[in-house]
């Protein structure tokens, strides 16, 4: 408590504590209260993973130590979303140095990948389910290698000691979560692969049901190997050989080799941080979606959205900033090791001024075009499509260090191919299937050997201007992630809502002329007022749902939230 008080300057403490304006209080969404804890907290999409992380924290482990335990359990109990066969981005705050580091565990394309590998023999893009379950869709998995790098730098416990819960649950069984069971019985192509059917079918021939005691002995073996050897357990030796063999199988075999696997290198770089009002918001650089969230904030900072908590004008401004942001991000983002991403130009003051001026009092006519920021190359119109499976978690340890990590196998159960009790990713379908647009202009996100596909994942960390932790938030959701995270930040930083209420706010993705949303979640009258301003909300399923998880620092302690649309929880001690 004293420590947390010290973390916040008085003025900011007052702001965070301040009751939101009356409008927000009368229109706040129905939501469970945020969880508050004094020392440390984990917010993640599954309670078994949260408990594993808390156990590590209570044993004196750091936020990164706990992240390893959380990932190890999520790979078992939420295999539709992340695991040993996937990739991740992690934003890490070091309370002692007040530095924010971006860890990049994004999958890389094998040396044999080519720009046209997702085109069929007719020259047209392969149907997505075909591409996703093909041997070509998997990139070299980077999540474990990334965690190993981060844990070597910021861990306090031994790597080998972080896998106890995952191993026990895999060996002795765990109650099958409802979301896992529903995904296994869904009509997604990956749920129908021979590996998925074999794993998810009970001895009586029925598919796994929520609450069944589920075991995964192969996963226990893999986890023991990872505990003993680190990422080499997957990227070299027998498991690597099985990965290569699995991806060389039809339909449409891929080109992954042992050399591709053994050469994988995660990266650690300074995070991209930009001021937002009295705060500083940090995310990983491209190819993550982080800088796009920063562009959205940059546009909103030039509006008075902070005076419009959860009202029609607030959501109107949000919807327009979202459209402007997606237009740029879809045009310009790719792997900066391969293409110039004009990030400085997109986040430059004069560029953001000009972008924000494009917001009219009401909207009609064609959607906004991408702008031309300084340093921009000519880029083809984007044709990337990203449905999927992904998860986000946030951890704050007792020293105030924080992890904000989005981790993914891309689509539900990745490519549906299993090795060692885990699914391989289909992350390479995050590349543009078409290497060029219809005018023949190269896409920033075209496939290339060794390249990392563009991502929407945007694990965010918020500091005050003195570099002290204010909040951490992130979400899965394919392309919608950028709007989901933007909402998470606006709710907490501008509308001063507690984390849990923020995460329960309606999701709204403005992209082109589409406004995908959840009309039933708005306060009365807002949907109609938005329609009168030209923003006609579309309900129904839009891409992948959110799975926002976050923690904020308040003078009363750490305050966490878990997206009510998933089955997660925020817990601390
Ligand atoms: O990296 C990306 O942007 C996608 N592979 C994320 C997919 C995703 O979030 C699916 N959601 N649940």
């Amino acid at each position: 408590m004293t420590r947390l008080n010290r973390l916040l300057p008085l003025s900011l403490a007052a702001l965070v504590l301040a009751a939101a304006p009356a409008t927000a209080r009368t229109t706040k969404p129905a939501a469970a209260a945020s969880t508050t804890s004094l020392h440390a907290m984990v917010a993640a999409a599954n309670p078994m993973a949260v408990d594993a992380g808390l156990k590590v924290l209570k044993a004196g482990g750091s936020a990164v130590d706990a992240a390893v335990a959380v990932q190890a359990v999520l790979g078992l109990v939420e295999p539709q979303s992340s695991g040993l066969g996937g990739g991740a981005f992690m934003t890490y705050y070091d309370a002692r140095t007040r530095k924010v580091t971006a860890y990049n565990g994004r999958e890389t394309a094998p040396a044999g990948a080519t720009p046209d590998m997702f085109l069929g023999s007719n020259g047209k893009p392969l149907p997505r389910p075909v591409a996703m379950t093909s041997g070509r869709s998997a990139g070299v998995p980077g999540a474990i290698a990334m965690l190993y790098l981060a844990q070597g730098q910021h861990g306090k416990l031994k790597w080998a000691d972080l896998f106890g819960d995952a191993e026990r649950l895999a060996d002795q069984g765990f109650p099958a979560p409802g979301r896992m069971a529903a995904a296994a019985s869904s009509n997604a192509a990956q749920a129908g692969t021979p590996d998925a059917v074999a794993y998810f079918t009970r001895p009586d021939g029925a598919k796994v049901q929520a609450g069944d005691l589920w075991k995964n002995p192969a996963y226990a073996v893999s986890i023991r190997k990872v505990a003993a050897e680190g990422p080499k357990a997957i990227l070299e030796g027998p498991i690597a050989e099985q990965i290569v063999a699995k991806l060389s199988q039809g339909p449409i075999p891929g080109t992954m080799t042992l050399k591709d696997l053994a050469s994988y290198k995660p990266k650690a770089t300074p995070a991209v941080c930009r001021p937002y009002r009295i705060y500083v918001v940090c995310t990983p650089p491209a190819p993550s979606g982080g800088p796009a969230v920063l562009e959205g904030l940059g546009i909103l900072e030039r509006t008075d959205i902070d005076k419009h908590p959860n009202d029609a004008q607030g959501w109107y401004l949000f919807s327009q900033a979202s459209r402007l942001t997606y237009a740029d991000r879809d045009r310009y983002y790719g792997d900066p090791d391969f293409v110039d991403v004009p990030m400085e130009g997109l986040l430059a003051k004069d560029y953001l001024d000009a972008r924000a001026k494009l917001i009219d009092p009401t909207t009609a006519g064609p959607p906004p075009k991408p702008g031309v920021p300084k340093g921009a190359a000519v880029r083809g119109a984007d044709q990337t499509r990203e449905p999927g499976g992904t998860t986000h978690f946030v951890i704050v340890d007792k020293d105030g260090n924080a992890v904000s990590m989005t981790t993914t196998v891309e689509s539900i159960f990745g490519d549906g191919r299993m090795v060692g009790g885990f699914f391989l990713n289909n992350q390479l379908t995050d590349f543009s299937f078409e290497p060029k647009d219809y005018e023949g202009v190269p896409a920033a996100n075209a496939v290339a050997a060794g390249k990392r596909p563009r991502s929407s994942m945007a694990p965010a960390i918020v500091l005050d201007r003195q570099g002290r932790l204010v909040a951490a938030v992130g979400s899965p959701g394919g392309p919608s992630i950028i709007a989901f995270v933007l909402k998470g930040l606006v709710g907490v930083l501008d509308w001063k809502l507690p984390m849990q209420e923020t995460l329960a706010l309606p999701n709204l993705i403005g992209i082109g002329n589409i406004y995908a949303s959840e009309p039933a979640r708005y306060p009365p009258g807002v949907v109609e007022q938005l329609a009168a301003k030209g923003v006609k909300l579309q309900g129904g399923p839009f891409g992948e749902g959110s799975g926002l998880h976050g923690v904020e620092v308040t003078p009363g302690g750490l305050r966490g939230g878990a997206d009510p649309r998933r089955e997660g929880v925020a817990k601390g001690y």
Side-chain angles (χ1 to χ4, degrees):
M1 170 76 189
T2 343
R3 185 189 60 79
L4 286 165
N5 269 332
R6 273 206 317 273
L7 276 177
L8 287 164
L10 263 184
S11 55
L12 176 59
L15 265 168
V16 175
L17 257 192
T23 44
R25 290 295 147 195
T26 50
T27 56
K28 71 178 184 188
S34 302
T35 315
T36 307
S37 299
L38 288 183
H39 305 289
M41 186 168 265
V42 182
N46 183 281
M48 290 177 269
V50 170
D51 288 344
L54 272 181
K55 208 182 278 179
V56 167
L57 292 176
K58 284 182 184 166
S62 68
V64 176
D65 287 327
V68 177
V70 169
Q71 176 66 84
V73 173
L74 286 176
L76 177 68
V77 304
E78 203 195 24
Q80 68 273 23
S81 298
S82 77
L84 309 187
F89 286 102
M90 179 172 107
T91 309
Y92 174 73
Y93 172 73
D94 185 308
R96 195 178 53 80
T97 60
R98 298 189 181 175
K99 283 212 174 91
V100 185
T101 305
Y103 288 92
N104 177 334
R106 188 68 168 166
E107 296 88 337
T108 49
T114 55
D116 58 357
M117 76 177 187
F118 290 123
L119 299 179
S121 49
N122 59 1
K124 298 242 152 52
L126 292 170
R128 287 201 71 81
V130 172
M132 291 193 305
T133 52
S134 78
R136 291 184 195 169
S137 69
V140 179
I144 296 298
M146 182 201 85
L147 282 170
Y148 192 72
L149 172 67
Q151 201 268 342
Q153 295 175 345
H154 302 289
K156 284 165 74 180
L157 304 182
K158 279 207 218 106
W159 169 267
D161 293 344
L162 303 173
F163 299 88
D165 270 29
E167 188 184 337
R168 176 179 53 79
L169 291 165
D171 268 334
Q172 297 173 15
F174 59 93
R179 283 181 66 85
M180 182 185 95
S185 295
S186 74
N187 56 14
Q190 297 93 322
T193 60
D195 288 350
V197 171
Y199 177 52
F200 290 120
T201 303
R202 309 193 304 199
D204 68 359
K207 281 276 175 73
V208 59
Q209 302 289 311
D212 285 353
L213 183 70
W214 211 247
K215 296 185 182 173
N216 188 341
Y219 191 82
V221 172
S222 296
I223 276 293
R224 275 192 279 276
K225 226 171 136 46
V226 169
E229 299 169 26
K232 276 191 182 162
I234 306 168
L235 299 173
E236 295 172 33
I239 295 183
E241 282 162 22
Q242 288 171 49
I243 293 176
V244 168
K246 185 59 81 177
L247 295 175
S248 67
Q249 286 170 14
I252 317 187
T255 61
M256 182 93 70
T257 62
L258 285 174
K259 188 161 173 236
D260 289 323
L261 287 159
S263 337
Y264 185 82
K265 294 260 176 310
K267 297 204 269 186
T269 62
V272 183
C273 298
R274 287 291 184 276
Y276 181 62
R277 303 197 199 275
I278 58 167
Y279 308 102
V280 174
V281 181
C282 299
T283 70
S288 97
V293 171
L294 300 179
E295 181 183 347
L297 288 175
I299 294 169
L300 287 174
E301 190 172 21
R302 287 154 171 80
T303 72
D304 63 352
I305 192 169
D306 52 331
K307 310 270 168 6
H308 291 280
N310 203 14
D311 72 11
Q313 177 62 8
W315 286 113
Y316 176 76
L317 294 169
F318 186 93
S319 71
Q320 301 309 297
S322 168
R323 298 206 303 169
L324 290 159
T325 299
Y326 275 109
D328 282 342
R329 121 62 209 237
D330 288 355
R331 178 61 56 99
Y332 293 117
Y333 279 65
D335 184 350
D337 287 350
F338 285 73
V339 290
D340 286 328
V341 180
M343 190 186 74
E344 294 301 331
L346 287 163
L347 300 179
K349 196 178 161 307
D350 54 348
Y351 184 76
L352 293 169
D353 288 344
R355 259 348 232 164
K357 284 210 183 87
L358 295 175
I359 301 182
D360 293 324
T362 61
T363 180
K369 291 202 172 66
V372 185
K374 212 161 152 225
V378 177
R379 291 282 175 225
D382 180 61
Q383 304 187 46
T384 312
R385 298 282 172 270
E386 319 161 64
T390 300
T391 198
H392 183 84
F393 59 84
V394 168
I395 302 169
V396 181
D397 67 26
K398 66 175 169 36
D399 297 320
N401 305 306
V403 161
S404 187
M405 174 163 158
T406 317
T407 173
T408 178
V409 288
E410 208 305 288
S411 198
I412 290 183
F413 305 125
D415 62 7
R417 297 174 187 229
M418 261 184 134
V419 159
F422 61 89
F423 286 96
L424 301 177
N425 69 83
N426 68 299
Q427 213 67 242
L428 303 193
T429 60
D430 273 3
F431 280 120
S432 173
F433 280 27
E434 302 257 21
K436 296 185 173 167
D437 79 352
Y438 51 89
E439 289 171 335
V441 182
N445 189 33
V447 188
K451 191 175 176 183
R452 289 168 154 94
R454 185 189 80 190
S455 176
S456 299
M457 299 193 292
I461 288 197
V462 185
L463 310 180
D464 67 16
R465 293 294 180 107
Q466 284 74 45
R468 289 168 288 204
L469 184 67
V470 170
V473 70
S475 182
S480 312
I481 290 172
I482 291 161
F484 293 158
V485 177
L486 196 59
K487 176 198 84 171
L489 294 168
V490 166
V492 172
L493 305 182
D494 280 336
W495 295 350
K496 313 292 178 209
L497 294 171
M499 187 59 80
Q500 187 62 43
E501 287 181 32
T502 292
L503 306 190
L505 287 169
N507 286 323
L508 168 56
I509 302 108
I511 182 162
N513 259 342
I514 295 170
Y515 298 101
S517 193
E518 302 169 305
R521 285 184 184 265
Y522 288 87
V526 170
V527 174
E528 295 74 16
Q529 290 167 56
L530 279 172
K533 288 161 103 39
V535 171
K536 298 196 173 54
L537 301 182
Q538 294 180 14
F542 48 93
E544 189 78 12
S546 61
L548 285 144
H549 293 95
V551 174
E552 49 175 329
V553 181
T554 77
L558 297 169
R559 194 154 64 173
D563 197 320
R565 302 162 189 83
R566 294 209 173 186
E567 55 197 6
V569 64
K571 266 191 185 169
Y573 74 94

